[in-house]
Amino acid sequence: TNYLRSILQEAGYKVGTFTSPHLIVFNDRIRINDVYISDDELLRIANQYIAYWQDYDLSMFEIAMIISIIYFMDNKVDYVIYEVGLGGRLDPTNVINSLVSVIVNIGFDHMEYLGNTLAKIAYEKAGIIKENGVVFTAEDKKECLAVFEAVAKERKAQLFIIDSITSYKLNGNIHFDHKGYNDVVLDTIALYQIQNAALAIEVCDYLSCNHVIDISRSNIYDGLYKAFWKGRFEIVAYDPITIIDGAHNEHGIKALLPNLRILPRPSVVVFSALKDKQYQEMITDILDCVDEVVITQFNSDRSLSADELALGLDVTVIEDYQAAIAYAISKYKTGSVVITGSLYFISLARELFKGGR
C-alpha cells in the first residue's frame, strides 16, 4: 500500500490510503499523501453520520471505512489504495470496485474466521478479485495459486504472478533488479520489502501501459526509495542498534528471520503477542536465530501473560515490558535488539524511543 502510494504521489497524484490497525493514533489509518486525517475532520464526519452507525450497529472497522470514503470524496483524491482488513471476501473494504487487486501472499492467521488450511484462507483472500478484473500476487505456494487461478478464471479476471526475487545487494540499503528496472534502491534493510516493492513496480507498470495513470520510471525509482513505514524494521536507536518490527503472526516472523540472522551479534529479541496467534511456533522460530529471547506482556484484552507465552520454552521472562526492553538494551550493548510480536506491543515500545521517555 505504502509503496504504491509513494510512487503515485511522486507522479503528482493526490493519493488516499486506508490501513489498519493504527500504530500511533486512530487517525493514521486514514491519510492523504501520507498525512493523517485531522481530529477536526474525523469529528466532523463522525458527527454527521453517527446516527446511521448506531441504527445499523456497525463495527469500529466499518465506521473507519465509512469515514475514509467520505473523507476521500470530500477531498477529491485522484486514487485511493485500500488495505484489506481481515480476509477479503467478507471484509468491509470489499465494497470497493477496484482498478486492480493485489494479494501479497498467504499465511496462517485469523484462522477462526478464515479457515485452518492455506487453501481455505486463499479462497477468502481471493474474494477481492473482481469480475473482469486484474489481480497481482507474489504468492508462490501451489495450493494458494490453484485457488487464485480458479477464482480468476471463474470471474474472467487476469492473474499476474510475480516471480520471487532472490538476488540482491545489502549495503545499508537494499539494491535489486526486477523486470527491466536495474538497481532499484529501498531505504531499508528489511529483506521482506523486496517482494512488496516488486509488486508495486508491476502494478504501476500495468496501470501505466494501459494508460490508466501517467507515470515515469523515475517516479517508480524515487517513490520506492522515499517510502517509509513506521514499525517495519524501523531503527529506533543505536548503541546498541535497536529495531522494532510488526511481525505479528508466524508468517511475519518467518519473513523477519533472514534479517535476524544477519544482525550484529550478540542479539536479543523482546517479544509479546496476542492469544489468537501461533505464538509458540513464532518464539521457537526466533530462538534459532538469536542469542536470547525475552518474553514480556502488555495490557490488552487479547494479550497473554508472559508466563503463558513462555510455557515450556527456553526463554527469559520479564513481565513489565519497559523493564524487559531496558534489560535487553543493557545486556546487549555491543550487539542488537529487536522488539517484535504484536502490533499493539510495538506501538507501546515505539513510544519509549520516539516519545523520548
Side-chain angles (χ1 to χ4, degrees), residues 240-241 263-268 290-292 331-337:
I241 183 169
L263 284 173
R265 305 295 285 263
S267 59
V268 59
V290 296
D291 298 286
E292 184 177 7
K331 184 175 178 181
Y332 290 84
K333 273 284 184 199
T334 59
S336 48
V337 177

Side-chain angles (χ1 to χ4, degrees), residues 237-280:
Y238 293 90
D239 191 28
I241 183 169
T242 305
I243 292 162
I244 61 170
D245 190 272
H248 63 285
N249 54 31
E250 191 183 10
H251 190 68
I253 289 295
K254 286 189 184 301
L256 179 63
L257 297 181
N259 271 105
L260 293 183
R261 293 188 181 103
I262 62 174
L263 284 173
R265 305 295 285 263
S267 59
V268 59
V269 166
V270 183
F271 179 91
S272 194
L274 299 179
K275 59 189 174 187
D276 60 351
K277 306 299 178 184
Q278 295 177 296
Y279 51 87
Q280 286 215 316

Side-chain angles (χ1 to χ4, degrees), residues 43-61:
L43 188 61
R44 177 185 67 80
I45 298 170
N47 283 335
Q48 190 174 350
Y49 291 96
I50 191 168
Y52 295 103
W53 305 340
Q54 291 170 335
D55 286 347
Y56 289 95
D57 193 27
L58 298 188
S59 70
M60 191 65 249
F61 190 89

Side-chain angles (χ1 to χ4, degrees), residues 294-310:
V294 179
I295 304 298
T296 189
Q297 65 191 54
F298 61 100
N299 289 329
S300 168
D301 293 340
R302 295 170 59 201
S303 65
L304 280 175
S305 72
D307 285 336
E308 289 174 294
L309 288 169

